[in-house]
Amino acid sequence: MWRTSAFLLALAATSSFAASIPNARRSAKPVGKRQSTIVPQNDNTTSYAVDGTSLPEVDFDVGESYAGLMPISDEEDSPELFFWFFPSENPAAENEITIWLNGGPGCSSLEGLFQENGPVLWQWGTFKPVRNPWSWHNLTNMLYVEQPVGTGFTTGEPTATNEEMAADQFLGFFKNFVDTFGFHERSIYIAGESYAGKYIPYISNAMFDAEDTTYYNLESIMLIDPSLSEDIIQEEIPAVPFVDYWGPLLNLNESFLEDIHDRADACNFTSFIETYLVFPPPGPMPMPEESEECGLWGDILDAEFLINPCFNVYRITDTCPVLWDVLGFPGSFEYTPPGASVYFNRSDVQEAINAPVGATWALCSDGVLDQDTSPETALSVLPGVIEQTNKTIITHGTADYILLAQGSLLAIQNMTWEGEQGFQSEPADPFFVPYHEDQSVASLAGAGVMGTTHTERGLTWIEVNMAGHMLPQFVPSAMYRQLEFLLGRVESVTEDTPFTTLQTQ
């Protein structure tokens, strides 16, 4: 999840974590009814064990998992990050860990776990949690982390003012996690969405700088609908072409359309795209200046709310009514109907997952990296990370209005890696998702050609048609195939080979 503009910041969740709540980590307890475990059991690991049969409202065993608070340093009273780890039964995952991060800043990775790619799904407007056949832990060992300090169940005051500080916190946490569970020298993959487009490249850069493969043996990364560059690049300049692309769906009147096109021309946005969104690019892009007159993205948003009061910036195909979200944030604004409760604010849920009992949990917390002083990743650390990884994926949904796909391509075309700027050829290859037999009406997912893709010099771009901001939530099968590619289980996202696991065939 990404929070931007004064409008969305005003609507975002405002409850921040109460740091004074004591650590409620549970003592050793059984992992459930399984006769054996994937993770070696000792005093360190069993204290984090979660009974997969005891999650409130969940009427199935979610399997072996471990959750709780882990300090970011060895200092007394160190701040702690909350994590939830799901080991995989897939033999191919034995020597790897995949880390998942949501964005914000200050938005919890439990969103990704509970509504995107974890073993349990409780989607907007649905009756109950269901088993997720597209869970990423079918493929790899999955670690979900709430970070930086100040997010979700984390303890301590948020002190990070830039991405380098947040990355340092994460590396301290991850070193303690590896030591606790004995996961040394494992291959590391990192995936995340939205503001994680800032988190992940800086964390990756810090891992490479550490030169310590015992703890930080980073292989590849995947950035989903990511923040890569300034808002004017990823929101303002491509806003009018976005309206043109979606035309009838947005239903804007002729006089408004004429006005925004005239303003896009006057602000040089139209000529900017014509000049710089080409393959190969002509050279470095000048950074346009932002102004109130050229604030097209926000004006389009205001107009859409008049037409569709339930307009969802994360997936523009949504219409009224607003669906109840068990995490409290089902789209453009926070919404909790009378009598409802946010799942992770329930004390029985907190006790079941070794979270601080009585804590106030919010999907997105204020006060986290409010004044992020680090340069945008496409113009700083990301090119070097692309050069040092075996593979980097940037993937984007076309129905996302919070960050626009054309904006991500503009950021790529202004980025230089491996001695060349941008892609030399326009993305045009078909992105293919294997045909499959769906296991349940509750987890239907598409197949066939679902977008376009392109790879050059270690960077793969994937554009997914009709998909919103949270890609694993909206197109789970498409993201399952992309994860297989990230992990090296398939050679290309253009191939028509079946999925590599039995769970989804």
Side-chain angles (χ1 to χ4, degrees), residues 477-497:
S477 55
M479 296 312 299
Y480 202 86
R481 173 42 54 112
Q482 291 188 39
L483 180 64
E484 290 181 318
F485 177 57
L486 181 77
L487 299 171
R489 311 288 168 76
V490 296
E491 293 185 2
S492 169
V493 293
T494 65
E495 65 184 63
D496 61 359
T497 54

Side-chain angles (χ1 to χ4, degrees), residues 30-32 34-41 64 66 87:
V31 180
R34 288 169 298 283
Q35 299 301 310
S36 61
T37 60
I38 301 169
V39 174
Q41 301 298 289
E64 181 180 350
Y66 303 81

Side-chain angles (χ1 to χ4, degrees), residues 220-432:
S220 304
I221 66 171
M222 177 159 58
L223 308 178
I224 301 169
D225 287 53
S227 174
L228 301 172
S229 190
E230 286 80 357
D231 287 350
I232 194 168
I233 295 294
Q234 294 201 259
E235 293 181 333
E236 301 293 357
I237 291 175
V240 172
F242 182 93
V243 169
D244 292 340
Y245 178 86
W246 287 103
L249 176 67
L250 299 179
N251 196 32
L252 295 165
N253 65 50
E254 289 299 324
S255 61
F256 183 82
L257 291 172
E258 183 178 355
D259 174 69
I260 61 174
H261 278 88
D262 289 345
R263 290 166 60 195
D265 292 343
C267 294
N268 296 318
F269 290 173
T270 306
S271 60
F272 191 95
I273 289 180
E274 292 173 349
T275 302
Y276 295 106
L277 193 55
V278 295
F279 306 86
M285 297 177 190
M287 192 57 61
E289 293 185 7
E290 298 191 47
S291 67
E292 184 175 349
E293 295 78 12
C294 297
L296 294 168
W297 185 90
D299 289 349
I300 293 168
L301 181 65
D302 291 342
E304 279 302 321
F305 273 120
L306 294 174
I307 297 167
N308 174 13
C310 303
F311 182 73
N312 185 353
V313 293
Y314 300 106
R315 182 174 58 181
I316 65 166
T317 53
D318 289 7
T319 56
C320 293
V322 176
L323 302 178
W324 158 234
D325 174 18
V326 73
L327 301 187
F329 214 130
S332 295
F333 40 82
E334 187 178 12
Y335 169 61
T336 304
S341 60
V342 172
Y343 187 77
F344 290 112
N345 259 329
R346 292 173 44 168
S347 58
D348 57 343
V349 174
Q350 294 169 350
E351 183 173 5
I353 64 174
N354 304 327
V357 176
T360 299
W361 182 91
L363 180 59
C364 297
S365 301
D366 287 341
V368 180
L369 277 173
D370 282 345
Q371 303 295 325
D372 190 346
T373 60
S374 296
E376 303 294 344
T377 55
L379 301 175
S380 56
V381 296
L382 181 55
V385 170
I386 294 171
E387 292 170 349
Q388 293 183 83
T389 57
N390 292 331
K391 185 182 300 167
T392 294
I393 300 170
I394 298 176
T395 180
H396 210 111
T398 60
D400 179 7
Y401 188 65
I402 196 75
L403 289 166
L404 281 61
Q406 268 199 342
S408 288
L409 269 178
L410 276 171
I412 290 172
Q413 291 308 91
N414 196 34
M415 184 170 62
T416 297
W417 73 100
E418 297 290 0
E420 287 187 296
Q421 181 182 330
F423 287 140
Q424 305 305 294
S425 300
E426 184 173 2
D429 294 330
F431 164 48
F432 185 82

